[in-house]
Amino acid sequence: MKNYSAISEFILLGLSTDPHIQIVLFVLFLLIYLLTLMGNFLMLLVIRADSNLHTPMYFFLRQLSFLDLCHSSVTAPKMLDNLLSESKTIFVESCLAQAFFVFATGGTEACLLAVMAYDRYVAISSPLLYGQMMSNQLCVGLVWGSWGLAFVDALINILLAVNLDYCEDQTIPHFSCELSSLFPLSCSDTSTNFTLLLCSSVLHFFGTFIMIVSSYACIVSTILSISSTSGRSKAFSTCSSHLTTVILFYGSGFISYLLPTSGSLLEMIFSLQYSVITPVLNPLIYSLQNKEVKAAMGRMFRKYFHPVM
């Protein structure tokens, strides 16, 4: 048995060690974070205020906006703080808490995107029964199920990680704490933790991805059976925003988790895409590609700002 001295803090190396570049990055990512907050809060407000958007599709979109707020707020504030700080330290407990919420919010979003894909399939394949099949009770249950499954999955992984002894190198070659970056820092046996994380990722993220692919296979089959070109175009347009979000989320998420934890530039880019860039793009995607959301925004701005002008 070796005699190790336990550590209480980690050092997050972040995106750059150059002070001048750090200032530029701080301004850039502060702007992105503020736009994320504004865009997603605006989506929440518009969907809540406009009765025309009180449908299952927009109920799920509200949940997605709330999730993007949560997911970006888990990593962005600490990343911004470290860009201006010299120490760049984070307590072990805080790091584990951040890793938990990164895993939980990311897992919830994966489940929610699968639910939204099923919602689009029902809307296209059974438009007359859509309201009946996607009842309010079912929608609420699917959302709670998404949150519950992701949080239980994250909790199991974190509880195992809490029991690890972190007493080797303190340095995390990343701008945030994630489970995969913590294992190399431990002097305990992490084989069980790694196996559990791998199984969780395969079952949770790849499982929901298969569900999304299956839903879109059924959607494509249904669209091809529509005789009119305008009908096909209208059916596909209802899925374009969601499909774009799926590609951004799963594309960057899969690549960032498949890459080894080395702190390479490529790994940083995909991690930033997954945790910082995607949350700010989702409101733009749904507002620019969705006529109903654009119309609702127009009605809201005319209602509140036109009388003043």
Side-chain angles (χ1 to χ4, degrees):
M1 295 289 291
K2 293 184 179 180
N3 185 18
Y4 293 106
S5 58
I7 61 170
S8 60
E9 292 180 335
F10 293 132
I11 298 173
L12 291 168
L13 288 183
L15 301 170
S16 174
T17 56
D18 188 318
H20 297 94
I21 295 178
Q22 286 179 356
I23 294 173
V24 174
L25 290 174
F26 174 81
V27 173
L28 174 63
F29 287 113
L30 177 62
L31 179 61
I32 290 174
Y33 182 53
L34 292 176
L35 288 174
T36 300
L37 297 179
M38 290 172 57
N40 285 289
F41 271 124
L42 181 61
M43 289 296 292
L44 290 171
L45 180 63
V46 168
I47 295 172
R48 182 177 178 83
D50 198 300
S51 59
N52 294 319
L53 302 183
H54 292 176
T55 64
M57 173 182 172
Y58 295 105
F59 172 76
F60 294 130
L61 182 54
R62 276 180 62 192
Q63 306 304 316
L64 181 64
S65 293
F66 177 69
L67 261 174
D68 283 336
L69 284 172
C70 295
H71 193 64
S72 60
S73 296
V74 170
T75 56
K78 183 59 181 175
M79 179 181 70
L80 292 170
D81 177 59
N82 280 352
L83 285 171
L84 296 182
S85 173
E86 292 184 4
S87 61
K88 304 185 187 306
T89 58
I90 182 171
F91 288 113
V92 172
E93 295 81 5
S94 300
C95 191
L96 289 168
Q98 187 182 62
F100 169 78
F101 285 109
V102 166
F103 197 102
T105 53
T108 304
E109 187 157 344
C111 291
L112 186 62
L113 289 174
V115 168
M116 293 173 76
Y118 174 72
D119 170 72
R120 291 299 81 213
Y121 164 66
V122 174
I124 291 173
S125 63
S126 306
L128 299 179
L129 299 175
Y130 175 61
Q132 182 180 346
M133 294 177 67
M134 299 301 294
S135 64
N136 184 62
Q137 185 178 1
L138 177 63
C139 293
V140 172
L142 289 171
V143 169
W144 277 111
S146 298
W147 280 98
L149 182 62
F151 268 72
V152 168
D153 197 6
L155 185 62
I156 293 172
N157 279 274
I158 286 296
L159 287 178
L160 272 182
V162 167
N163 294 322
L164 295 175
D165 293 318
Y166 300 96
C167 43
E168 291 286 343
D169 183 17
Q170 309 176 247
T171 305
I172 299 176
H174 214 284
F175 59 86
S176 66
C177 294
E178 295 186 8
L179 281 172
S180 58
S181 62
L182 295 181
F183 297 158
L185 305 181
S186 176
C187 50
S188 305
D189 180 16
T190 59
S191 57
T192 303
N193 301 76
F194 181 79
T195 302
L196 179 62
L197 179 61
L198 183 63
C199 292
S200 296
S201 301
V202 169
L203 292 175
H204 203 132
F205 291 96
F206 283 92
T208 52
F209 182 71
I210 291 171
M211 292 170 64
I212 292 172
V213 171
S214 300
S215 294
Y216 270 99
C218 296
I219 288 171
V220 169
S221 177
T222 304
I223 290 176
L224 292 176
S225 66
I226 300 174
S227 56
S228 65
T229 305
S230 60
R232 290 182 182 179
S233 177
K234 183 178 180 181
F236 180 75
S237 66
T238 63
C239 304
S240 59
S241 299
H242 177 259
L243 189 58
T244 305
T245 301
V246 167
I247 292 170
L248 285 173
F249 179 82
Y250 279 94
S252 56
F254 278 154
I255 294 173
S256 94
Y257 272 94
L258 289 173
L259 287 173
T261 308
S262 60
S264 65
L265 178 61
L266 188 63
E267 182 193 357
M268 291 286 189
I269 290 173
F270 283 113
S271 294
L272 284 170
Q273 169 68 40
Y274 170 76
S275 58
V276 178
I277 307 301
T278 298
V280 75
L281 291 180
N282 283 344
L284 293 173
I285 292 167
Y286 276 95
S287 60
L288 294 177
Q289 295 188 11
N290 192 301
K291 294 179 180 179
E292 291 179 328
V293 173
K294 285 193 286 187
M297 284 184 176
R299 287 191 292 268
M300 188 182 76
F301 281 109
R302 284 194 299 271
K303 179 180 178 180
Y304 291 104
F305 298 102
H306 184 66
V308 178
M309 295 173 65

